[in-house]
Amino acid sequence: MSSTNADPKSQDPGNNGPLPPHLDPATYPRTVTTTHSGAPIHLSLTYDHLDPTTALSIISSASSGANILFLGTTRDTFEDRPVAQLSYTTYPQLALKSLDKIAKDAVDKHGLNGVYIAHRLGVVPVKEASIIVAVGAGHRGEAWRGAEEILEIVKERLEVWKREEFVDGGKEWRENRERDSSGNLISKSGED
């Protein structure tokens, strides 16, 4: 098949050539499903809508008295500036390796019975989910702590980059690690 007949989503808008595989939506979802210490772990990077029902079905078990689900969604403003949408990109081999370590560490530390982490790529409009973190555990304490820790480490370390696209046409790349869990700017050491 010639590149002129290729899926238009798989074309680089800058030169009309094929996109590199890690940027080509046709090469997704990229998924890893495994177990660690008997706990199912499902990790996904996808351009598709995220499904909370699927996440809960994977982490739910007879031994889990607590199932926690977190959806991170696109807000309509950032610092009083109207947001049109977010756009995410990644280097999937590195991101999936990081997600695997984050999930396994959480299973070990919090005794989780299941972990599901999915991150959306590409354009994510306002009100749509860009990330799902779901965990199952015997009790709510370890489930809450495990889910929150997974989310915070993902925000701090995961090789996924976010571009905020504003209603006025402006665009700004952001690092998730720039802000804490309440959205407050984290000052970097050595800076005023």
Side-chain angles (χ1 to χ4, degrees), residues 36-76:
H36 180 70
S37 299
I41 295 175
H42 180 89
L43 312 169
S44 184
L45 300 169
T46 184
Y47 283 81
D48 298 329
H49 291 277
L50 301 179
D51 183 6
T53 303
T54 298
L56 286 172
S57 71
I58 288 173
I59 57 99
S60 296
S61 72
S63 59
S64 292
N67 296 294
I68 304 295
L69 172 69
F70 172 84
L71 298 175
T73 57
T74 301
R75 284 186 317 274
D76 63 356

Side-chain angles (χ1 to χ4, degrees), residues 32-36 38-44 54-56 58-60 64 67-68 99-108 110-118 132-137 143 146-147 150-151 154:
V32 172
T33 300
T34 186
T35 59
H36 180 70
I41 295 175
H42 180 89
L43 312 169
S44 184
T54 298
L56 286 172
I58 288 173
I59 57 99
S60 296
S64 292
N67 296 294
I68 304 295
L99 286 173
D100 187 60
K101 179 170 178 18
I102 292 166
K104 288 176 179 174
D105 288 350
V107 167
D108 291 341
H110 298 286
L112 302 178
N113 297 332
V115 175
Y116 182 102
I117 309 169
I132 290 179
V133 173
V135 304
I150 287 170
L151 180 63
V154 164

Side-chain angles (χ1 to χ4, degrees), residues 66-137:
N67 296 294
I68 304 295
L69 172 69
F70 172 84
L71 298 175
T73 57
T74 301
R75 284 186 317 274
D76 63 356
T77 59
F78 178 78
E79 294 181 342
D80 297 324
R81 194 170 172 195
V83 171
Q85 62 194 19
L86 299 178
S87 181
Y88 292 91
T89 189
T90 191
Y91 186 69
Q93 293 87 339
L94 194 53
L96 287 169
K97 183 177 178 182
S98 295
L99 286 173
D100 187 60
K101 179 170 178 18
I102 292 166
K104 288 176 179 174
D105 288 350
V107 167
D108 291 341
K109 182 174 180 181
H110 298 286
L112 302 178
N113 297 332
V115 175
Y116 182 102
I117 309 169
H119 206 297
R120 181 123 169 241
L121 302 173
V123 172
V124 182
V126 170
K127 292 176 45 177
E128 289 189 15
S130 58
I131 187 169
I132 290 179
V133 173
V135 304

Side-chain angles (χ1 to χ4, degrees), residues 1-27 47:
M1 178 163 105
S2 72
S3 63
T4 58
N5 293 331
D7 179 353
K9 292 185 211 171
S10 300
Q11 296 290 314
D12 180 355
N15 67 11
N16 292 329
L19 289 170
H22 73 281
L23 294 177
D24 184 352
T27 67
Y47 283 81

